[in-house]
Amino acid sequence: MELWQQMIRDSVHTVDQLVEKFGLDHKVAQELDGFFQARINPYYLSLIRYPGDPIWLQCVPDKKELEDFDAEEDPLMEDAMSPVPNITHRYPDRALFLVTSQCGIYCRFCTRKRKVGDHEKISMKGLESAFKYLEEHTEIRDVILSGGDPLMLTDAMLEKILQRLRQIPHIEIIRLGSKMPCVLPQRITPKLVNMLKKYHPIYCNTHFNHPWEITPESSKACQMMADAGIPMGNQMVIMKGVNDDPAVVKELVQKLLKIRVRPYYMYMADETKGANHFRTSVETGLKILEALRGHTSGLAVPHFVIDAPGGGGKIPLVPNYVLHHDEEKIILRNYQNKIYTYKNYADKNNPEGFGTKVKKNGKNGKIKKEEFKPRRIVKVPVLEEV
């Protein structure tokens, strides 16, 4: 048995352990276990500095989870967009492939609480129909392995899946959606990365939410993946009491770049049953983004998105930097709130926007620019500073 597997076995997961280690009421602990089980491995448990800290909030069950009576179990409608078991096909050329129900820890804000931890909801029996679907749908060029966490599979099982995917000619990119580099970095071994690099191009999106999660162990894990040619991205969720502070996020994204993990997405928390006590206002996210843009490297600035309820996909949000927009000019503000004017041009090839159409004169071959009045003028109201 490998070290990471032993650490999974040694995790806090029973009602009695929750009562003993975290002082939960026994009845509440039982109700929480019936709703969404706990798993806190020894490594991640060791990162807790005090009760209620940003690490504690992410992994220790809370009675607030039982108060979301009206919230949706599947706000992103993943199940409705699942043509066969284990596959969610929302975007034209990408598919989500759920390969396991197990995780290194069970995050209390998980958007897939309805499935994660339940082997009957994400079953190995569904793999064959999933492979057949991917083979038949030639528009799919990008497959994201998720679950649960695909790195909860043994190296041998994961390699079987990768081999099969690489036999499908139209699949160009394989992505791993794994929190293991953050929550159980002992899973990232030389044996694993040597196996993974045989199936390039492989990318990995991981999930750090707080600077305290960047430790010598997690840094080594991410660097091993990067050294194996696996580009690393991070998907952070804004959560109350965890990272809803611009200074915390700035520290996080700068530290991520040092270990070769590119900040990729910063999400608003999903409207998931049992997780709504983590949610913040959209203005909080915009404030964080304003504190990053221009104040640190562009490499450190993630896309700020809402994964739209009802299966609408990821929708980006940005602070309002455009103050006015018409056929002659665009008035902009920068990160210091200084105002700048940029000359605009028209484009007959783009009647909904602005620009210049270039014509070539057939007689003398000269280039001629023609400006025109566009169909509409766009005036963007100035928002209050957030």
Side-chain angles (χ1 to χ4, degrees):
M1 181 182 295
E2 294 190 42
L3 173 61
W4 69 272
Q5 292 171 314
Q6 185 60 50
M7 294 179 79
I8 291 292
R9 290 197 173 192
D10 293 341
S11 296
V12 172
H13 66 279
T14 68
V15 170
D16 288 341
Q17 287 173 321
L18 293 174
V19 172
E20 177 188 351
K21 289 189 175 294
F22 305 113
L24 296 181
D25 177 88
H26 196 277
K27 182 178 179 182
V28 171
Q30 283 184 317
E31 291 178 2
L32 285 164
D33 186 61
F35 171 57
F36 181 55
Q37 64 182 294
R39 172 180 286 161
I40 312 171
N41 70 65
Y43 166 77
Y44 201 71
L45 183 64
S46 74
L47 302 186
I48 295 174
R49 300 185 183 184
Y50 55 85
D53 75 13
I55 306 299
W56 173 295
L57 292 176
Q58 292 184 69
C59 64
V60 178
D62 192 300
K63 64 181 180 181
K64 292 176 184 175
E65 296 175 40
L66 304 173
E67 297 171 2
D68 289 341
F69 298 113
D70 299 324
E72 296 287 337
E73 288 191 342
D74 183 16
L76 305 183
M77 294 188 68
E78 289 183 330
D79 293 345
M81 296 180 176
S82 179
V84 296
N86 295 41
I87 292 287
T88 296
H89 192 180
R90 173 178 291 131
Y91 298 103
D93 69 338
R94 283 147 286 170
L96 186 70
F97 187 2
L98 306 181
V99 295
T100 178
S101 65
Q102 301 299 304
C103 287
I105 68 165
Y106 291 138
C107 303
R108 308 321 297 177
F109 54 90
C110 181
T111 197
R112 232 171 260 151
K113 283 188 172 185
R114 69 193 186 280
K115 285 179 177 283
V116 168
D118 187 342
H119 68 275
E120 293 182 355
K121 296 287 183 65
I122 304 176
S123 171
M124 301 301 284
K125 296 176 183 177
L127 292 187
E128 190 53 44
S129 62
F131 283 124
K132 186 176 180 182
Y133 182 87
L134 294 172
E135 289 166 349
E136 291 174 350
H137 287 260
T138 57
E139 73 276 17
I140 296 173
R141 50 175 291 280
D142 184 352
V143 174
I144 301 99
L145 300 184
S146 186
D149 194 310
L151 295 189
M152 281 293 289
L153 299 175
T154 63
D155 292 355
M157 186 64 215
L158 181 59
E159 183 163 20
K160 286 181 181 179
I161 292 171
L162 294 174
Q163 284 176 335
R164 183 71 180 273
L165 289 175
R166 280 291 171 235
Q167 291 171 7
I168 304 174
H170 54 269
I171 293 178
E172 301 169 8
I173 295 168
I174 298 173
R175 287 190 267 175
L176 302 173
S178 175
K179 195 159 181 171
M180 289 298 213
C182 173
V183 301
L184 190 57
Q186 293 78 7
R187 174 64 183 101
I188 312 304
T189 63
K191 181 184 173 187
L192 172 68
V193 297
N194 286 332
M195 180 273 286
L196 291 175
K197 67 184 182 183
K198 293 190 294 184
Y199 300 97
H200 277 318
I202 286 183
Y203 293 74
C204 179
N205 285 328
T206 190
H207 189 176
F208 289 83
N209 287 314
H210 194 275
W212 294 356
E213 294 171 327
I214 299 179
T215 65
E217 293 88 350
S218 62
S219 298
K220 180 182 177 183
C222 291
Q223 289 166 343
M224 286 176 65
M225 296 283 275
D227 285 345
I230 301 168
M232 299 290 290
N234 189 64
Q235 302 190 137
M236 186 200 99
V237 179
I238 302 172
M239 288 178 284
K240 189 180 296 183
V242 175
N243 54 17
D244 55 338
D245 181 329
V248 169
V249 177
K250 185 176 179 180
E251 182 185 354
L252 172 65
V253 295
Q254 290 178 337
K255 286 185 173 180
L256 285 170
L257 286 184
K258 288 177 68 176
I259 62 172
R260 288 185 284 168
V261 178
R262 173 75 187 270
Y264 179 37
Y265 280 129
M266 180 174 73
Y267 286 93
M268 286 296 294
D270 293 331
E271 299 175 343
T272 305
K273 186 174 183 178
N276 281 293
H277 58 288
F278 285 111
R279 294 179 61 214
T280 65
S281 68
V282 172
E283 287 75 19
T284 296
L286 292 171
K287 182 179 178 181
I288 291 170
L289 201 59
E290 286 246 30
L292 298 178
R293 177 69 64 188
H295 296 278
T296 191
S297 167
L299 284 171
V301 182
H303 299 287
F304 175 38
V305 297
I306 292 177
D307 214 339
K314 300 174 188 70
I315 299 174
L317 293 85
V318 294
N320 187 22
Y321 295 111
V322 179
L323 306 183
H324 177 83
H325 185 180
D326 62 30
E327 72 273 18
E328 296 179 351
K329 62 186 177 297
I330 300 174
I331 299 177
L332 308 160
R333 70 176 178 90
N334 76 347
Y335 71 101
Q336 298 169 315
N337 280 322
K338 294 179 179 178
I339 306 301
Y340 298 87
T341 299
Y342 182 84
K343 187 176 179 181
N344 205 2
Y345 291 92
D347 183 359
K348 286 183 180 178
N349 292 325
N350 182 24
E352 292 300 317
F354 308 100
T356 302
K357 182 179 179 181
V358 177
K359 271 190 172 183
K360 186 173 181 180
N361 190 311
K363 295 180 180 179
N364 54 27
K366 291 183 178 179
I367 300 297
K368 180 182 178 183
K369 292 184 179 180
E370 292 187 350
E371 293 191 8
F372 75 105
K373 187 175 181 179
R375 291 183 185 177
R376 62 178 181 170
I377 294 175
V378 178
K379 291 185 178 181
V380 183
V382 179
L383 295 180
E384 292 184 7
E385 193 172 344
V386 294

